[in-house]
Amino acid sequence: MDMMETFRQTYLEESFEGLDTMESGLLNLPPGIPDNEKINEIFRAAHSIKGGSGTFGFSEIAGFTHVLETLLDEMRDGSREVTQESVDAMLAAVDVLRDMLTKLQDHEEIDHERASEVQGWLEKILSGGEVPSHENTEEVPVEEKSQETEVVTDSTWTIELRPEKELLQTGNEPLRILRELESLGEIDVQPDLSAIPAATEFNPEQLYINWTIKLKGADIKEEDVREVFEWIDGDGAEIIITPPSVIEAASTSEATIVEEVVAVEEVPEPTEVPKAETPTATAKPVARPAAGSKAKAAADKAPKQEGSIRVDLSKIDQLVNLVGELVITQSMLSQFGEQAEQAADGQNSSMEWVDKLKEGLTHLERHTRELQESVMNIRMLPVSFAFNRMPRIVHDVSQKLGKKIDLVMEGEGTELDKTMLEQLTDPLVHIVRNSIDHGVEMPDVRASKGKPETGTVRMAAFHQGGNILIQITDDGAGINHEVIERKAIEKGVIEEDHNLSQQDIIDLIFHPGFSTAEVVSDISGRGVGMDVVRRNIRSLGGSVDVKTTLGEGSVFTIRLPLTLAILDGQLCSVGSQTYVFPLVSIIESIQVDKALIKGIAGETELYKLRDSYIPVIRLHKKMGVNDAQEDLEKGLLVVVEDAGHRAGIFVDDLLGQQQVVIKSLESNFMKIDGIAGATILGDGTVSLILDITETVSSNKNGGSHLSAA
């Protein structure tokens, strides 16, 4: 069962990748005569999802995907053109499949109603009927169904068996399979011989026959049927098992029912799903597992799967090689240990082993660092995993707003820690949606300004220093700081006699609950979003800032560390305590000249650093260290920077630089303001890691924007 669960998880992961391929292909599918290469790519992804679903009893997936596959097949053979309506329907189908797979992964109940609605939409397109309007909210009367429905006592299962050609070569025998089925009930077998080639091309070791099997009997359980096919449903095989409930419901599909069609409510983004307008468009019920089956009960009790990651083989090979080097080094050190014991006993007075021991320790240090880097490299994934959701977001939001948007993505191969990527998606979605809604103007407005009607949203990822930078740029109207200032005063966020700079006013868009939208919509205007963006980015040890030019556009820059687990740190002493500064945040370290110190209101201290003043943060006061140096001239200022704001943090001395493994204080103890985490040093003591973002932001209004002139 553990092995089957592993295979099941692999199927789900590959299916999610297939859905991403389908979505990307559909978004780039132009209306008109189908692009065979793109259609084939989408079709293959859908076929793989459908083909693998039978192995694990996902009959809902198989039944739903079959309709989607039929529509794609007609486009593939040229009998149907691509229309915007069909693309929208297939995108809705991708959303349904993604939801189905997510629910199956979490062992939760599938939303059958939504699946049936979208399946009905696809079937109506296939039948040539008019695609129902998204705005249709009228009640549609339908006729009465005869109540004289015959009660079916025997259950009839339909099984479509299309084995792979190499089935016989694996030691499996179709006749044995049919006999196993016959042990469950009465069977009616209809072979399909259409694929048998001419005698000159016939290979007796291959199988060319497909079967449609009707299985009748009382109390037949789905897990018993699937157990018959457990060992043959491999790559290339296709087994579709349709439970009796589907067959019985389909047999009465021409009858109609008295009901009210409820007004269509707005479906949450990213898609809208229409209701069928007439009885003939009603979807066939999607196949569901037999109620009360042992397999379902076991699934309901099963724990949720932990996250997984796919790793390139070259990274695994490198890891294996490094482990081998460590084993060799360990063997060398063991020999040196024996020689040291002999020297201690007087058996060997030579001290050559000391030099060799030092050499071995040097090798150990190098291999350990390489191993550490190799392991961390396994956690790294390209940012395309986060970027790939954006084309769909841009497609849906621009259609809803009536805007024309061209999305450009650059640097998708830039790698970032997997954990960070998972938490980065939501902030990116918020920023992109705001760029489209608030940034890019309507086509007629852009034309009146001499701009192209189609706006551009550009996403780029690249390395800078020890960080990853992600920039979202739009060529829209920019951010009007006067509008933000007026709104902020109206809402009581700032006072009328404030002394904030223009950039500080623009930064108010990240203030909780702040919004400049005049109309509240499902896209923006509720005062949530950008504050969440900043909070989420800061939780990753990063920062976000915005630069804007009125009439030309805005640039949102997200700065992130490469990984959440390890950082290069500068150790600093403050009294008897040792603190770790992230090395990438440090600009320089300077000795203090008291002549350059300036006090404001008797509390805030500023230090003149060349052409500007920076606030001085006495770390011993902030952290409550009593035995620290208080005379500024006897310590050092560590100049750090965050989001364009600089500050000087006063410490006793610098101790050295080293890589440190970050341990979460919040999960192991509690959240402490100004502290990003903790680490264990080589001597076994615990050292706190400073959160430079919080430390600087708490003092940034103390003078970082003041000119020294």
Side-chain angles (χ1 to χ4, degrees), residues 166-419:
E166 291 75 21
L167 179 70
L168 300 175
Q169 300 173 30
T170 63
N172 286 290
E173 170 57 56
L175 186 58
R176 180 191 61 79
I177 296 170
L178 296 177
R179 285 174 180 164
E180 288 289 333
L181 280 177
E182 194 172 22
S183 68
L184 301 177
E186 180 183 346
I187 64 171
D188 177 25
V189 182
Q190 296 295 328
D192 178 3
L193 309 178
S194 59
I196 297 179
T200 54
E201 300 176 1
F202 187 85
N203 183 348
E205 294 185 352
Q206 291 189 337
L207 191 61
Y208 301 98
I209 306 175
N210 298 325
W211 290 273
T212 299
I213 307 162
K214 301 285 186 180
L215 173 63
K216 294 183 65 176
D219 300 325
I220 296 177
K221 296 180 180 179
E222 184 171 354
E223 61 262 35
D224 295 334
V225 178
R226 295 199 177 279
E227 187 177 357
V228 174
F229 302 98
E230 185 174 1
W231 299 107
I232 72 165
D233 193 9
D235 294 339
E238 188 173 356
I239 301 167
I240 301 175
I241 301 173
T242 308
S245 58
V246 175
I247 303 163
E248 290 161 14
S251 68
T252 60
S253 61
E254 294 182 1
T256 52
I257 304 172
V258 173
E259 62 179 327
E260 291 183 349
V261 178
V262 182
V264 179
E265 296 181 356
E266 182 180 4
V267 179
E269 289 191 42
T271 66
E272 295 179 309
V273 182
K275 292 273 189 179
E277 293 182 5
T278 63
T280 55
T282 302
K284 294 178 182 178
V286 180
R288 306 185 187 189
S293 69
K294 293 179 182 177
K296 183 179 184 303
D300 289 340
K301 296 178 182 178
K304 292 185 178 181
Q305 284 286 332
E306 295 293 333
S308 60
I309 187 172
R310 290 194 170 199
V311 181
D312 188 277
L313 278 176
S314 62
K315 294 182 179 180
I316 299 295
D317 291 341
Q318 182 183 16
L319 194 60
V320 171
N321 290 336
L322 285 172
V323 171
E325 294 289 342
L326 278 176
V327 171
I328 294 172
T329 304
Q330 185 270 334
S331 178
M332 291 171 57
L333 292 175
S334 296
Q335 292 181 10
F336 302 148
E338 293 176 0
Q339 293 177 10
E341 290 179 358
Q342 292 175 1
D345 294 340
Q347 300 177 22
N348 184 1
S349 59
S350 174
M351 298 298 290
E352 292 181 2
W353 64 270
V354 176
D355 294 332
K356 291 184 178 180
L357 177 60
K358 292 179 180 178
E359 181 183 352
L361 291 173
T362 302
H363 288 172
L364 179 62
E365 181 182 4
R366 184 177 74 249
H367 294 327
T368 302
R369 183 165 184 122
E370 289 176 354
L371 181 62
Q372 182 187 66
E373 292 174 353
S374 182
V375 171
M376 294 310 303
N377 195 31
I378 287 178
R379 294 174 54 93
M380 307 295 279
L381 292 175
V383 296
S384 59
F385 280 81
F387 278 18
N388 285 344
R389 282 190 60 185
M390 299 309 133
R392 180 66 186 278
I393 299 295
V394 172
H395 171 272
D396 291 342
V397 175
S398 59
Q399 276 201 336
K400 178 162 288 191
L401 296 174
K403 296 182 179 182
K404 299 178 180 179
I405 306 292
D406 183 20
L407 177 65
V408 179
M409 296 190 292
E410 300 172 348
E412 301 102 311
T414 307
E415 290 190 328
L416 193 61
D417 189 282
K418 177 181 183 288
T419 304

Side-chain angles (χ1 to χ4, degrees), residues 9-303:
Q9 184 64 20
T10 300
Y11 162 74
L12 290 170
E13 290 176 1
E14 291 176 349
S15 295
F16 283 123
E17 291 177 7
L19 289 176
D20 290 340
T21 299
M22 292 173 65
E23 185 174 75
S24 175
L26 289 168
L27 290 171
N28 293 291
L29 196 62
I33 299 174
D35 182 326
N36 284 339
E37 185 175 345
K38 282 190 174 68
I39 289 291
N40 281 330
E41 183 181 28
I42 299 167
F43 180 87
R44 282 194 298 269
H47 186 71
S48 296
I49 293 171
K50 174 187 170 184
S53 61
T55 306
F56 306 100
F58 300 156
S59 54
E60 302 97 332
I61 302 288
F64 183 85
T65 314
H66 181 72
V67 183
L68 175 61
E69 192 180 54
T70 303
L71 183 59
L72 288 166
D73 198 34
E74 290 185 4
M75 293 178 179
R76 191 172 62 156
D77 64 20
S79 62
R80 178 182 295 275
E81 289 192 354
V82 177
T83 64
Q84 187 59 51
E85 290 81 7
S86 60
V87 170
D88 289 343
M90 288 188 287
L91 283 171
V94 168
D95 291 338
V96 169
L97 283 170
R98 184 176 282 117
D99 181 66
M100 281 182 166
L101 290 166
T102 301
K103 293 290 177 60
L104 289 169
Q105 187 176 45
D106 295 339
H107 302 288
E108 296 176 359
E109 184 67 22
I110 286 175
D111 186 351
H112 298 287
E113 182 179 356
R114 186 181 179 214
S116 296
E117 290 171 353
V118 177
Q119 186 170 332
W121 189 7
L122 293 170
E123 288 179 339
K124 192 158 192 178
I125 294 175
L126 280 170
S127 64
E130 181 182 352
V131 178
S133 168
H134 293 192
E135 289 79 25
N136 179 32
T137 59
E138 297 180 2
E139 294 182 357
V140 181
V142 286
E143 301 172 6
E144 187 173 359
K145 175 188 174 182
S146 169
Q147 299 298 315
E148 299 178 1
T149 305
E150 181 182 354
V151 178
V152 181
T153 55
D154 278 351
S155 298
T156 303
W157 296 70
T158 299
I159 303 158
E160 295 180 45
L161 173 58
R162 303 184 184 98
E164 55 185 333
K165 286 186 177 181
E166 291 75 21
L167 179 70
L168 300 175
Q169 300 173 30
T170 63
N172 286 290
E173 170 57 56
L175 186 58
R176 180 191 61 79
I177 296 170
L178 296 177
R179 285 174 180 164
E180 288 289 333
L181 280 177
E182 194 172 22
S183 68
L184 301 177
E186 180 183 346
I187 64 171
D188 177 25
V189 182
Q190 296 295 328
D192 178 3
L193 309 178
S194 59
I196 297 179
T200 54
E201 300 176 1
F202 187 85
N203 183 348
E205 294 185 352
Q206 291 189 337
L207 191 61
Y208 301 98
I209 306 175
N210 298 325
W211 290 273
T212 299
I213 307 162
K214 301 285 186 180
L215 173 63
K216 294 183 65 176
D219 300 325
I220 296 177
K221 296 180 180 179
E222 184 171 354
E223 61 262 35
D224 295 334
V225 178
R226 295 199 177 279
E227 187 177 357
V228 174
F229 302 98
E230 185 174 1
W231 299 107
I232 72 165
D233 193 9
D235 294 339
E238 188 173 356
I239 301 167
I240 301 175
I241 301 173
T242 308
S245 58
V246 175
I247 303 163
E248 290 161 14
S251 68
T252 60
S253 61
E254 294 182 1
T256 52
I257 304 172
V258 173
E259 62 179 327
E260 291 183 349
V261 178
V262 182
V264 179
E265 296 181 356
E266 182 180 4
V267 179
E269 289 191 42
T271 66
E272 295 179 309
V273 182
K275 292 273 189 179
E277 293 182 5
T278 63
T280 55
T282 302
K284 294 178 182 178
V286 180
R288 306 185 187 189
S293 69
K294 293 179 182 177
K296 183 179 184 303
D300 289 340
K301 296 178 182 178

Side-chain angles (χ1 to χ4, degrees), residues 663-672 675-678 686 688:
K663 302 294 183 181
S664 172
L665 269 185
E666 191 168 357
S667 59
N668 293 296
F669 177 52
M670 60 179 290
K671 170 66 177 172
I672 300 177
I675 299 298
V686 175
L688 298 179

